[in-house]
Amino acid sequence: MGRFRYIHLPQLYFKAMWMFALLLYILIPLQSSIVGLVYKGIVLVSFGCFFVLFIKRVNESRVFVGNKEEVCFILLVMTVLTSLMSGSGMLSFDKHIMGIVGFVEMPLAIMLMDCVSYNEENTKFVLYVNILIAVVFSILSMTPFAYSGILDCLYLGYSNPNATAIYLLLNQAILIMFLQMLGKTTLKCLVIGLCMYEEYLIYLTDSRTCLFVSIAIVVYYLFGKKIKIPKRIIIAAVLFPLAFLFIYTNMYASGKYVDLQILGKELFSGREVYFLSKMDILSWKNVLGNVRQYYFTNMHNGPLAIIASCGVLGYIWWFLFYFWTIQQYYRVARSQVQYIALAAILGVFIHSSSEAVLIVGGAHYSIIVATFFWILKGNPYGYDIEREKYQ
């Protein structure tokens, strides 16, 4: 995909997707009727940009696949389509097709963002959009949308407290990463205040995972400038949600930990019963899954939703795509900003142990997570300097 870095289409995609994300953060709590149209607009722009760039590459270099990550992506798509065609029952556009498209959209966004220049203009754009998003979250926290769900936790008008927590965490991480770009200004003081307030809001969501990752990022930003995140943590974080399923359900089945509390919250929240009822899905015999039955619905665990929909084979291609992509970008990571981006990415995977929406949901989640991959890669080859020659 690197051959397209001088084409302006990825730049348009990048900015359009972030504006869509800001719009959705406002429209979803309002339960606006145009949310569905925005989702379809995201899909149209994402796949339209990808196919145009793919055709250009084939015409220019006769290369269909550029690296092993793209091979995994293609094999993942083929596995999903095979699961769809081998299933039985009626097909629904909104359930099955949009479910598949939403799932595929995340790796698609990561590949498209690989074509976007990492420079001051684009990083400032991301920073200012996220300042606006933080302001939206702050306003929502002072309205009836704050506690709009059935649980006594912070919702901000979104689907559940866990989803709200990860939105807050990712927004806070971006603000922290680019804080130094603001210099000694009044705006910087405002952003610091927003970050502190978002820490409090994350606490109110009752999401222990997000609170831990958020505190870790803040501590690392303040005291860890010379600390490099070990490589072995990458594979541990990506595999953690799958291991969590077996550990969590076995702990519940043993009956020894029913009264255990972590950070004042009971270890078992009710999902353990649901997980136990679905554990047969994780069998090696479930090669292709059943996308017609599950269509990447939020099963409260990323690997569970993926294996249910496209089988063990689909999970293997999914895992290899993300592991190899993170590993490739990790090799060129040098700065504290890049390691904070890595921490946020690994936080997304760890968070998928109990909330699958970011892993399987598509929509505005894709550009947000893909931006962290873009920041992790940074500008290792100096291609933005080279790009000046073409302007």
Side-chain angles (χ1 to χ4, degrees):
M1 296 299 288
R3 295 177 177 84
F4 302 129
R5 59 171 59 106
Y6 302 128
I7 298 174
H8 292 291
L9 194 58
Q11 184 78 5
L12 295 174
Y13 162 83
F14 160 64
K15 293 192 173 182
M17 289 300 102
W18 267 109
M19 296 313 295
F20 276 134
L22 174 60
L23 187 61
L24 283 173
Y25 277 133
I26 298 170
L27 294 178
I28 291 174
L30 298 176
Q31 298 183 345
S32 172
S33 58
I34 68 171
V35 168
L37 293 177
V38 176
Y39 283 146
K40 290 180 174 62
I42 289 173
V43 170
L44 183 63
V45 173
S46 299
F47 282 83
C49 288
F50 179 80
F51 285 125
V52 169
L53 294 179
F54 179 76
I55 291 169
K56 282 182 177 290
R57 181 169 75 181
V58 172
N59 288 337
E60 291 173 1
S61 59
R62 307 297 177 186
V63 174
F64 288 88
V65 180
N67 53 47
K68 58 186 178 182
E69 293 86 7
E70 292 179 13
V71 172
C72 288
F73 173 73
I74 291 171
L75 291 173
L76 175 60
V77 172
M78 291 174 62
T79 304
V80 172
L81 292 178
T82 303
S83 176
L84 181 68
M85 291 185 291
S86 62
S88 59
M90 296 292 293
L91 282 175
S92 166
F93 179 83
D94 287 336
K95 289 182 178 180
H96 301 100
I97 304 304
M98 289 302 292
I100 292 171
V101 165
F103 174 66
V104 171
E105 194 182 330
M106 184 80 80
L108 203 67
I110 292 170
M111 290 189 288
L112 284 169
M113 284 298 292
D114 187 50
C115 308
V116 177
S117 296
Y118 187 86
N119 55 34
E120 185 178 1
E121 175 190 345
N122 287 337
T123 52
K124 280 189 174 180
F125 173 79
V126 172
L127 172 61
Y128 292 141
V129 170
N130 276 273
I131 291 174
L132 292 176
I133 291 172
V135 171
V136 169
F137 290 156
S138 299
I139 293 173
L140 288 172
S141 71
M142 302 172 192
T143 68
F145 293 114
Y147 293 89
S148 54
I150 58 175
L151 300 176
D152 187 25
C153 303
L154 190 74
Y155 281 77
L156 298 183
Y158 303 115
S159 58
N160 60 69
N162 275 331
T164 302
I166 197 70
Y167 299 159
L168 290 163
L169 169 63
L170 297 179
N171 177 253
Q172 183 196 53
I174 288 177
L175 296 182
I176 290 173
M177 281 190 294
F178 296 136
L179 192 59
Q180 295 304 319
M181 295 181 65
L182 298 174
K184 296 180 180 179
T185 63
T186 303
L187 182 58
K188 183 176 182 178
C189 295
L190 171 64
V191 172
I192 292 173
L194 288 171
C195 290
M196 294 173 65
Y197 187 56
E198 285 188 319
E199 191 72 40
Y200 173 65
L201 294 181
I202 292 171
Y203 169 76
L204 293 180
T205 64
D206 215 13
S207 173
R208 294 162 292 188
T209 304
C210 286
L211 183 62
F212 171 78
V213 174
S214 175
I215 292 173
I217 288 174
V218 172
V219 171
Y220 181 72
Y221 174 77
L222 294 174
F223 307 107
K225 288 181 171 61
K226 296 182 180 180
I227 299 175
K228 182 178 180 179
I229 296 177
K231 185 178 179 179
R232 60 182 175 271
I233 290 181
I234 297 174
I235 190 168
V238 179
L239 285 176
F240 178 80
L242 182 60
F244 172 82
L245 271 178
F246 293 97
I247 296 170
Y248 190 63
T249 52
N250 283 331
M251 288 177 67
Y252 175 72
S254 71
K256 298 178 180 179
Y257 307 96
V258 291
D259 298 322
L260 181 63
Q261 292 191 350
I262 299 177
L263 296 177
K265 182 179 178 181
E266 292 183 358
L267 175 64
F268 299 111
S269 59
R271 288 178 180 174
E272 65 281 351
V273 177
Y274 175 77
F275 289 156
L276 272 173
S277 69
K278 300 294 183 182
M279 290 300 287
D280 60 312
I281 290 173
L282 302 180
S283 168
W284 284 104
K285 297 179 181 178
N286 185 20
V287 179
L288 294 174
N290 189 346
V291 76
R292 293 203 184 199
Q293 179 179 352
Y294 294 103
Y295 49 89
F296 299 103
T297 52
N298 182 8
M299 300 176 72
H300 305 296
N301 179 276
L304 182 62
I306 294 168
I307 294 173
S309 301
C310 58
V312 174
L313 186 60
Y315 177 77
I316 291 172
W317 301 134
W318 175 88
F319 169 80
L320 290 175
F321 172 85
Y322 282 101
F323 176 68
W324 280 337
T325 300
I326 296 172
Q327 190 176 52
Q328 176 191 352
Y329 291 178
Y330 176 85
R331 291 193 187 106
V332 299
R334 298 290 183 272
S335 69
Q336 187 187 35
V337 167
Q338 288 171 295
Y339 287 124
I340 292 176
L342 175 60
I345 292 168
L346 300 183
V348 168
F349 285 102
I350 294 171
H351 184 264
S352 72
S353 302
S354 58
E355 185 62 43
V357 65
L358 257 76
I359 297 297
V360 301
H364 56 308
Y365 317 123
S366 298
I367 186 60
I368 297 170
V369 176
T371 297
F372 283 96
F373 278 85
W374 175 72
I375 296 168
L376 174 60
K377 182 179 180 182
N379 182 15
Y381 307 116
Y383 57 73
D384 291 316
I385 297 174
E386 186 69 17
R387 186 174 184 267
E388 299 293 332
K389 299 177 182 178
Y390 293 84
Q391 293 182 342

